[in-house]
Amino acid sequence: MSEPKSRLAVYPGSFDPLTNGHVDIIRRGARLFDRIVIAILVNIDKSPVFTAEERVDITRQVFRGDPNVEVETFNGLLVDYAARRGADVIVRGLRAISDFEFEMQMALMNRRLSQSIETVFMMPDERYTYLSSRLAKEVFALGGSLDGLVPEVVEIRLRQKSGVRPPAGRS
Ligand code: PNS
């Protein structure tokens, strides 16, 4: 009997920045699939806070203890990248009904582009259902705390970028 095929999933996104909602989905994916590649889109429309290299670096730091989680960048069509990597699953997180329309459009467009790649949706822990990269950036820019919303390294890097010092009592 031949060995069962090792299942590789791709988790694509902008990750500007990585939030604890992303981390939650990645850890769920890493339990479900043999390997999961976090695929960071290089050319995002809006000008990113973090460069692609910085987003890779941050994400690698967060997952350095997880042997079946890889981090890469990609450009162009996601289905082409997934095919090059030999992945047949795209993982996306669904937080609320408001995500559904865009996610359905993407999943069906990707299916039209490639019949052999399936999109799998996962729900994050309910603590993260209202969390997005955009809101995390806004809260930070207006002086709010990101404690529990993003990995510590993200908050540190945001502070370094903006020259903001940590609140008293925090490193
Ligand atoms: O974190 P985001 O911004 O919601 O991620 C969106 C992403 C990167 C998954 C999406 O923009 C994407 O897949 N871009 C690659 C271009 C592509 O394949 N487009 C056609 C399929 S909709």
Side-chain angles (χ1 to χ4, degrees):
M1 274 233 303
S2 60
E3 285 283 304
K5 188 173 156 251
S6 143
R7 189 130 247 176
L8 174 67
V10 169
Y11 180 55
S14 310
F15 305 107
D16 186 48
L18 184 76
T19 68
N20 284 347
H22 296 129
V23 173
D24 181 274
I25 294 290
I26 294 158
R27 295 239 149 88
R28 287 172 201 280
R31 286 201 296 271
L32 212 53
F33 302 103
D34 298 301
R35 285 181 301 142
I36 184 162
V37 188
I38 305 168
I40 299 179
L41 183 65
V42 176
N43 287 336
I44 42 185
D45 300 340
K46 49 234 165 185
S47 50
V49 170
F50 292 112
T51 65
E53 292 71 31
E54 287 169 329
R55 284 176 276 147
V56 167
D57 190 46
I58 289 169
T59 312
R60 287 206 173 124
Q61 276 196 47
V62 172
F63 292 98
R64 77 182 149 211
D66 299 68
N68 65 336
V69 177
E70 294 170 37
V71 185
E72 275 188 359
T73 57
F74 82 104
N75 248 328
L77 281 180
L78 174 61
V79 290
D80 290 344
Y81 167 78
R84 279 200 303 279
R85 284 302 321 255
D88 52 9
V89 173
I90 293 169
V91 168
R92 291 287 288 173
L94 262 189
R95 291 164 299 191
I97 299 286
S98 50
D99 281 341
F100 184 78
E101 195 170 346
F102 176 60
E103 293 298 334
M104 188 187 73
Q105 287 172 355
M106 275 208 304
L108 294 180
M109 180 58 79
N110 283 332
R111 181 181 285 166
R112 183 193 165 91
L113 293 168
S114 169
Q115 297 289 321
S116 55
I117 298 175
E118 204 62 55
T119 302
V120 170
F121 293 105
M122 281 193 272
M123 273 180 266
D125 188 285
E126 62 208 42
R127 281 175 296 171
Y128 307 127
T129 46
Y130 56 88
L131 173 61
S132 66
S133 297
R134 186 183 63 78
L135 276 188
K137 284 185 281 199
E138 188 170 317
V139 168
F140 178 80
L142 299 174
S145 168
L146 290 183
D147 207 13
L149 298 179
V150 299
E152 201 181 359
V153 58
V154 170
E155 200 170 352
I156 292 170
R157 295 289 191 96
L158 282 169
R159 273 197 237 113
Q160 284 169 350
K161 277 221 170 242
S162 65
V164 173
R165 291 212 276 165
R170 297 198 64 199
S171 57

